[in-house]
Amino acid sequence: MKAPRLRAAGLAVALLGALVAATPATAAADPTAAADPTTCATDPATPKRQFRAMWISSVVNIDWPTKASQTAPDRIAAQQAEYRGWLDLAERLNHNAVVVQVRPTADAFWPSPYEPWSEYLTGTRGQDPGWNPLAFLVAESHKRNLEFHAWFNPYRVSMPAPGGAGADLTQLAPGHPARQHPGWTFAYPPAGVAGSRLYYDPGVPEVRAFVQTAMLDAVKRYNIDGVHFDDYFYPYPSGTHQVPDDATFAQHNRGFTDKADWRRDNIDLLVREMGEKIKAVKPWVKFGVSPFGIWRNKSVDPLGSDTTGSQSYDIISADTRKWVKEEWIDYVVPQLYWYIGQYPAADYARLAPWWAETVRGTRVQLYIGQADYKSGDPAYGADWMDPNELSDHLTLNRSYPEVLGNVHFSAVQVRANRLGATDVYAAAHYSKPALVPAMPHLPAKPLLFPVLTQVTRTADGARLSWRQPADGVGPFGAATAYAIYRLDGAGRPDGCALADARHLVGTVRATPGGAQSWVDTTAEPGRAYTYVVTALDRLHNESPAGPPRVLR
């Protein structure tokens, strides 16, 4: 028999086995596929898909690792325990992703052949921490079935003195690329001015190529789910000081006569090329940017928002609307760090619909950056002393179907829970788990439905066992995770049962091998339940529902 026929026969056997395994009375044919889910009445408080994450900042040890961990008796164990604590918080809040800063200042949280070890691991620039943090971060996140988005800062080289290297190249780690290529950098504001630090010059072509190569090293070598940029491109203005790039403009203007247009094109090239290079290496890795919340004001540009604040297009040369319209990125997370109300500079209630309109008709997904750091801090005004403010943001988002999730800044502020604000929005909006929104434009193969083989009561709840037919075989995709739905009673689920997350009790990462299992620790003794399992690929595309099984 020829090899293709052998493979086809193997697939047939696998499919037949799946059907045979589903024949007991408690595994009746799937009724959940009977209705079109788009016609189902769903609960907006329990969306089936919603991106939920928090930023975990490493720069100046904001979130992780803490500065205290650097001097712990067992530094590695302390830092690993801290990170697991953040994942515990993410799980408690029903998040499904983390955004972790792994290249805060032209350095690395992995053994990079291009850049030195980050000082935020050990307290010393360039010092080997004795372990591979990025490998650990990815593996631990995936154990909890959380997407891992690696957060990179493209051009920032140092933080201000005295804590950072400031504008002094000699204070960088020995062998730092910026020390080897001083012409790649500039100090801004100027050396000697408070807050001065070093940046790579975005107008130098060799710089753009280098930072892309340095970041792509992590994409190639680690199983990350996304590449994430924040809002730092050209530096934010400091007083009347000008970015010192006249010589760069003279040498590398590419025919531009207007420096502002040239700067924007420099950042456009970074974003477009980075997206292309990521997809050339791993087509499934997502690319997202979290820009400053205002692109342009409509008083300056009729396409802009009804605001009067600073404009990323002008002050940091970031044409974020263009990146969305050109679909150079997969998702955008505008930092809408303002309250709802009469605030003409930047009202959340005006900016959320503007961004929804901006992504409409594109394949770019919209998540909103939330200012948890302002909640409960009187320095930001009375509106932020309302424990319902952040929850009101998420409620407003429901009016705009283009808003597919939220990212909270930052982890320590989420945990601080000032005024109980985290509890308020979590109860109102994150009461059930949610799947990460699928991205249909990224490559995927169809998944077969999983087959529940057994559901039994145990001392700690209910144990489910299942198998995934033809997992990654031939034309079929591989299951990266599974979604478990539980319905009360022993009735047959209707076609809308899985349309939202009201019955979703959890997701679990796939384990190597054919047999899978999970324990529902919330199952109550003596109560009857009906369980349904679906398979998810690494992009969260969902299989048809497997045949349900009843636990009596």
Side-chain angles (χ1 to χ4, degrees):
M1 185 179 288
K2 300 292 187 183
R5 294 176 62 191
L6 280 169
R7 286 195 293 270
L11 283 174
V13 170
L15 290 169
L16 180 60
L19 294 173
V20 170
T23 55
T26 52
D30 171 30
T32 63
D36 178 0
T38 61
T39 65
C40 298
T42 57
D43 184 350
T46 58
K48 179 164 182 169
R49 294 187 181 272
Q50 185 177 58
F51 190 85
R52 302 170 183 169
M54 56 188 171
W55 279 289
I56 301 178
S57 304
S58 62
V59 67
V60 300
N61 301 103
I62 291 175
D63 297 313
W64 182 88
T66 64
K67 200 164 187 64
S69 72
Q70 296 171 354
T71 55
D74 189 336
R75 173 176 45 78
I76 296 173
Q79 293 180 350
Q80 291 181 347
E82 286 180 356
Y83 188 70
R84 290 190 181 103
W86 290 125
L87 299 185
D88 291 342
L89 176 62
E91 284 192 305
R92 287 198 301 274
L93 295 175
N94 283 323
H95 287 190
N96 47 33
V98 288
V99 183
V100 185
Q101 194 173 30
V102 298
R103 186 183 178 270
T105 49
D107 49 11
F109 273 58
W110 71 98
S112 168
Y114 303 102
E115 296 183 305
W117 283 106
S118 176
E119 66 184 283
Y120 304 117
L121 292 165
T122 64
T124 301
R125 296 177 195 115
Q127 181 176 318
D128 188 334
W131 63 303
N132 188 333
L134 181 53
F136 170 84
L137 299 174
V138 174
E140 288 296 311
S141 302
H142 286 169
K143 285 179 185 177
R144 316 290 186 102
N145 201 35
L146 296 166
E147 274 200 338
F148 186 90
H149 290 241
W151 169 13
F152 303 89
N153 291 83
Y155 292 127
R156 185 171 61 199
V157 175
S158 67
M159 295 298 286
D168 189 349
L169 283 165
T170 67
Q171 294 300 306
L172 299 175
H176 195 292
R179 295 181 67 167
Q180 298 173 343
H181 303 278
W184 286 6
T185 69
F186 58 70
Y188 187 84
V193 175
S196 181
R197 69 194 79 183
L198 293 167
Y199 295 88
Y200 280 129
D201 187 339
V204 177
E206 293 83 2
V207 164
R208 188 174 72 252
F210 172 77
V211 299
Q212 290 171 347
T213 298
M215 294 183 289
L216 281 167
D217 181 61
V219 178
K220 293 175 181 177
R221 295 169 55 195
Y222 299 94
N223 190 25
I224 66 174
D225 301 293
V227 168
H228 185 93
F229 289 174
D230 60 19
D231 55 315
Y232 287 95
F233 297 102
Y234 275 89
Y236 281 90
S238 177
T240 59
H241 300 293
Q242 300 299 308
V243 172
D245 60 353
D246 286 348
T248 307
F249 181 55
Q251 185 177 359
H252 301 293
N253 58 58
R254 298 187 302 281
F256 282 93
T257 57
D258 182 274
K259 186 189 284 187
D261 290 340
W262 169 75
R263 285 179 179 168
R264 276 187 290 274
D265 191 61
N266 292 333
I267 306 303
D268 286 351
L269 287 170
L270 170 76
V271 172
R272 177 175 60 81
E273 292 172 357
M274 191 67 190
E276 291 170 350
K277 290 179 179 182
I278 291 167
K279 294 301 189 286
V281 173
K282 292 182 178 178
W284 58 86
V285 171
K286 305 171 185 179
F287 180 35
V289 178
S290 178
F292 182 73
I294 300 174
W295 170 69
R296 300 199 90 188
N297 301 312
K298 71 175 185 180
S299 61
V300 175
D301 188 320
L303 296 175
S305 51
D306 186 13
T307 50
T308 60
S310 298
Q311 306 168 108
S312 68
Y313 181 93
D314 299 289
I315 65 170
I316 55 173
S317 307
D319 191 353
T320 51
R321 183 180 181 275
K322 180 178 183 179
W323 307 343
V324 171
K325 294 301 185 181
E326 295 290 340
E327 299 180 334
W328 292 342
I329 55 179
D330 297 304
Y331 68 87
V332 65
V333 193
Q335 298 171 19
L336 303 192
Y337 293 170
W338 301 283
Y339 58 81
I340 296 172
Q342 298 303 312
Y343 182 50
D347 183 346
Y348 187 96
R350 298 178 183 180
L351 281 163
W354 185 87
W355 280 101
E357 171 64 27
T358 297
V359 302
R360 192 171 299 143
T362 75
R363 66 190 188 191
V364 178
Q365 294 188 352
L366 172 62
Y367 319 138
I368 303 294
Q370 300 292 345
D372 288 50
Y373 72 97
K374 289 187 174 180
S375 182
D377 188 338
Y380 294 106
D383 291 87
W384 287 105
M385 298 306 292
D386 180 354
N388 295 301
E389 178 66 29
L390 287 171
S391 186
D392 289 346
H393 292 194
L394 274 58
T395 299
L396 186 148
N397 291 353
R398 294 179 186 174
S399 300
Y400 303 96
E402 294 82 7
V403 181
L404 297 178
N406 300 278
V407 186
H408 298 266
F409 189 82
S410 68
V412 291
Q413 310 296 340
V414 174
R415 185 176 63 188
N417 192 25
R418 287 188 298 273
L419 304 178
T422 302
D423 291 340
V424 171
Y425 71 67
H429 302 279
Y430 300 163
S431 64
K432 300 291 290 183
L435 307 184
V436 172
M439 291 190 172
H441 67 279
L442 299 182
K445 294 181 178 180
L447 292 165
L448 293 179
F449 59 75
V451 177
L452 264 172
T453 55
Q454 192 174 37
V455 181
T456 57
R457 292 197 183 275
T458 61
D460 51 355
R463 176 171 290 277
L464 285 66
S465 301
W466 65 90
R467 299 187 70 86
Q468 180 64 23
D471 191 23
V473 177
F476 299 110
T480 298
Y482 298 91
I484 298 98
Y485 300 86
R486 186 187 72 196
L487 293 82
D488 290 333
R492 296 166 67 84
D494 65 30
C496 291
L498 311 189
D500 60 18
R502 73 187 75 182
H503 300 303
L504 181 62
V505 289
T507 66
V508 60
R509 200 75 174 180
T511 56
Q516 308 289 322
S517 67
W518 180 77
V519 176
D520 179 6
T521 58
T522 64
E524 299 178 16
R527 290 194 64 175
Y529 298 110
T530 299
Y531 287 95
V532 177
V533 178
T534 62
L536 305 167
D537 66 14
R538 67 172 303 139
L539 289 168
H540 307 276
N541 297 297
E542 190 175 26
S543 75
R549 270 190 177 268
V550 173
L551 177 67
R552 299 185 185 277

